[in-house]
Amino acid sequence: MTRFAYLPWNDGPDPLAPPVDLRAALDQIGRDVMEGSSPRAALEELLRQGVRGTRGLDEMTRRLWQERARLQRRHRLDGTLQEVQRLLQEALEAERRHLFPDPSDDARFREAQLDALPSGTAAQVQELANYDWQSQQGRENYQKIQDMLGQELMESRFRGMKQALQDATPEDVERVREMMSDLNDLLASHARGDANTQQQFEEFMRKHGEFFPENPRNVDELIDALAARAAAAQRMMNSMSAEQRAELGSLIQQAFGDPRLASEISKLDAHLQSLRPGEDWNSSARFRGKDPFGMGDGVQAMQDMAEMDALAEQLGQAYPGARLEDIDLEALERQLGPESAVDARRLSELERALRDQGLIERAADGSLRLSPKAMRRLGETALKDVVNSLSSRRGERDTARAGAAGEPTGSSRPWEFGDTEPWEVSRTVRNAVLRTAGSGGTVTLDVKDVEVIETEQRARAAVALCVDTSWSMVQDGRWLPMKRTALALHHLVKTRFRSDALELITFGRYATKVDMAELTALEGVWEQGTNLHHALLLAGRHIRRHPDAQPVVIVVTDGEPTAHLEPDGDAEFNYPPLPRTLRLTLAEVDKLARLGASVSVFMLGEDERLKAFVDVMARRSGGRVVAPDLDGLGAAVVSDYLRNRQR
């Protein structure tokens, strides 16, 4: 019977993970752009906040700072000093207990030696270096002090050395000292620029490679690894009090009972500081916890904190030319776990996919912008929201009947959600046959097989959508719904009613014709004036350019006209509105009515003066006034467009 074992996937991204959701990401970017952000800022905000199922850069940065603070809040750096004090105290007590019953003069002399020891721990350890211990526990404890100091000293410069030197023999210690001597010779040769440095390095690694699990490939890589560790050791010493630094500096002279080892470490630090002056040798950190760190653990904590600082800078993406590929995923996994590395990798894939699929492109001036492909996708989403809104309004939706869409063009296209055209049966069946031909089974229909008959309209429309861009639209939260409404109508016209001529007109102090990309990226600015007169003037010009089309004029505004265009092209503003402003605006309404266009006004807000004015507009043009809420604005405008073009 065959057995299978299933283990966690640790080699790169999860192959079964769902692909990044580009549509959700694009919707979020589009929303931010329509609210006034630049595409670059919107993309950066998306990466900072993350998407559904993937934590963003801000959350990972917050966890880094939280972990960094935890290290400093829970630990202190005097663990080696504390342990030496404990072992020494036990050794002295055991020695005195052993000497007390002995009546000999030698015992009294030894007691006098112990009583005359200096007060400092380091001084006592140094004074006892040549003492002939009489008690077994005292001798063992003093040996433990020397071994521990040696292990901690080597761990502070070579990660993993503490474990390797457990139960070290004098031969092991001599091998370590010899390695240190050869290492200093190699670094001195490199500093002088000797020609045979690489050959010397290779010989050194053949002889002492077991001490370097990083497996450096050349002298520079070796120096980089050693300098980072040595700088962390120096920062740890900087973080201790002056008294603690002095005590520890004296104690390490007794590492393994061989002062030559501490001397070699001092030479190594000097070489590394001269070869890598750019390392952080001078900073410090405050540790205020209760859990003591030994030298090795303290140095590792300082290295971890430096790595966290570097990761925070990478996650911040605030430096010139920053890319998500800069993030050190291995370091991120070490500090925050594999889930954070996966999240960072998915964000990088998302950024790359947005660029590679052409959703974000670089303009001629070097700035980022949403591509036409991205605009189409945003339009699809906006239109779907409108369709869903229409579907929920029972009795208010115009029912599409057979033939209402127009005459067949002779071509077909794949069915999409919301299509009401009849099926192209022959092509639908052909698609199903081709899809199932290789399976040898029965032919079955699938949604992706369906094609519908493409039609063309028997009549076309000239549509002028005039949207208010005065500051009140931004101030009262109507900016984004206005843009999404325009986006939905634009997508509907461009995909379903291609023969219609749509013109987007914005009006604040002045009115301007814009394309959809310009309107999407339009930022709200402070300016006084609601120049509906100028907007209707441009709408009339658009309708006259299409005399064979059904005229449709739609106005979205939240304020009465307060500006008009003078013959010299200047805009005159006044609040409350001047009679001349109202008269000129209504004159344009009358001109549109003579062209056969009724003006539909979508009134936002509860301004009584605006209500009175738009009622007059509706009566004079044969149009209507709609007061939708912001959520229903898109559905109301699209529904009115469909109603007008069916007249």
Side-chain angles (χ1 to χ4, degrees), residues 101 205 282 293 295 378 380 385 455 539 553 580 591:
M205 290 301 294
N282 300 315
F293 268 153
M295 283 183 65
L378 290 175
E380 289 174 11
D385 291 343
T455 61
V553 179
R580 175 171 169 77
K591 293 177 183 178

Side-chain angles (χ1 to χ4, degrees), residues 601 603 608-621 623-625:
V601 182
M603 183 183 66
E608 293 299 326
R609 294 172 61 96
L610 174 61
K611 287 182 182 180
F613 181 77
V614 296
D615 282 343
V616 173
M617 284 181 61
R619 285 197 301 271
R620 295 176 73 140
S621 69
R624 63 175 187 153
V625 178

Side-chain angles (χ1 to χ4, degrees), residues 334-349:
R334 281 195 297 271
Q335 301 303 332
L336 296 182
E339 297 84 1
S340 292
V342 170
D343 288 339
R345 187 181 292 111
R346 286 177 63 82
L347 289 176
S348 179
E349 292 171 357

Side-chain angles (χ1 to χ4, degrees), residues 413-425:
R413 57 179 173 81
W415 177 86
E416 294 180 356
F417 177 77
D419 285 341
T420 58
E421 290 84 356
W423 286 17
E424 170 48 276
V425 178

Side-chain angles (χ1 to χ4, degrees), residues 139-156:
R139 187 180 306 108
E140 290 178 355
N141 272 29
Y142 192 79
Q143 186 63 45
K144 285 181 182 178
I145 290 174
Q146 291 182 320
D147 291 346
M148 183 192 70
L149 288 171
Q151 293 162 10
E152 292 285 359
L153 178 60
M154 297 307 296
E155 178 73 11
S156 69

Side-chain angles (χ1 to χ4, degrees), residues 480-538:
L480 181 60
M482 174 271 290
K483 287 187 176 182
R484 289 185 63 84
T485 297
L487 194 60
L489 182 61
H490 177 269
H491 187 72
L492 177 64
V493 171
K494 294 301 180 183
T495 58
R496 300 293 300 277
F497 303 104
R498 298 184 183 90
S499 62
D500 285 4
L502 172 65
E503 185 155 279
L504 302 175
I505 300 170
T506 62
F507 62 97
R509 187 67 169 263
Y510 292 90
T512 308
K513 297 183 292 183
V514 297
D515 60 30
M516 194 63 243
E518 290 175 317
L519 180 59
T520 301
L522 185 66
E523 297 183 20
V525 294
W526 167 254
E527 66 174 358
Q528 291 181 311
T530 303
N531 199 336
L532 182 57
H533 165 244
H534 193 187
L536 295 177
L537 184 67
L538 296 180

Side-chain angles (χ1 to χ4, degrees), residues 25-192:
L26 183 61
D27 288 346
Q28 186 170 333
I29 291 174
R31 181 183 182 90
D32 289 345
V33 168
M34 286 188 285
E35 286 181 336
S37 296
S38 68
R40 178 182 292 279
L43 176 59
E44 291 173 351
E45 180 67 18
L46 172 72
L47 298 176
R48 284 197 298 269
Q49 299 300 322
V51 294
R52 181 178 299 177
T54 302
R55 284 169 293 197
L57 301 179
D58 283 355
E59 172 62 16
M60 285 184 267
T61 303
R62 184 193 67 79
R63 291 183 59 205
L64 276 177
W65 292 125
Q66 189 178 47
E67 182 62 22
R68 194 183 193 281
R70 185 192 67 80
L71 276 175
Q72 295 179 261
R73 190 172 57 251
R74 293 187 180 181
H75 300 281
R76 64 175 191 263
L77 299 176
D78 60 350
T80 299
L81 293 175
Q82 296 271 327
E83 185 63 10
V84 170
Q85 290 173 356
R86 184 187 69 80
L87 290 171
L88 181 61
Q89 184 65 29
E90 290 179 359
L92 293 175
E93 290 175 356
E95 184 71 4
R96 286 191 171 94
R97 284 196 306 269
H98 182 83
L99 295 174
F100 180 74
D102 187 351
S104 67
D105 291 341
D106 182 65
R108 303 290 80 76
F109 176 75
R110 292 179 183 280
E111 286 178 340
Q113 279 184 290
L114 298 181
D115 291 339
L117 288 173
S119 58
T121 302
Q124 290 179 359
V125 172
Q126 191 169 4
E127 186 75 19
L128 292 167
N130 298 316
Y131 179 76
D132 184 15
W133 294 87
Q134 300 299 299
S135 69
Q136 180 71 17
Q137 182 181 356
R139 187 180 306 108
E140 290 178 355
N141 272 29
Y142 192 79
Q143 186 63 45
K144 285 181 182 178
I145 290 174
Q146 291 182 320
D147 291 346
M148 183 192 70
L149 288 171
Q151 293 162 10
E152 292 285 359
L153 178 60
M154 297 307 296
E155 178 73 11
S156 69
R157 300 307 192 279
F158 305 92
R159 185 174 183 177
M161 191 74 85
K162 181 178 180 179
Q163 188 68 27
L165 291 175
Q166 292 288 345
D167 303 321
T169 64
E171 291 77 14
D172 294 331
V173 175
E174 181 58 29
R175 286 179 56 244
V176 170
R177 193 203 63 76
E178 183 183 0
M179 180 272 292
M180 292 292 302
S181 178
D182 291 347
L183 177 59
N184 280 319
D185 290 344
L186 172 63
L187 296 184
S189 177
H190 181 74
R192 290 192 302 268

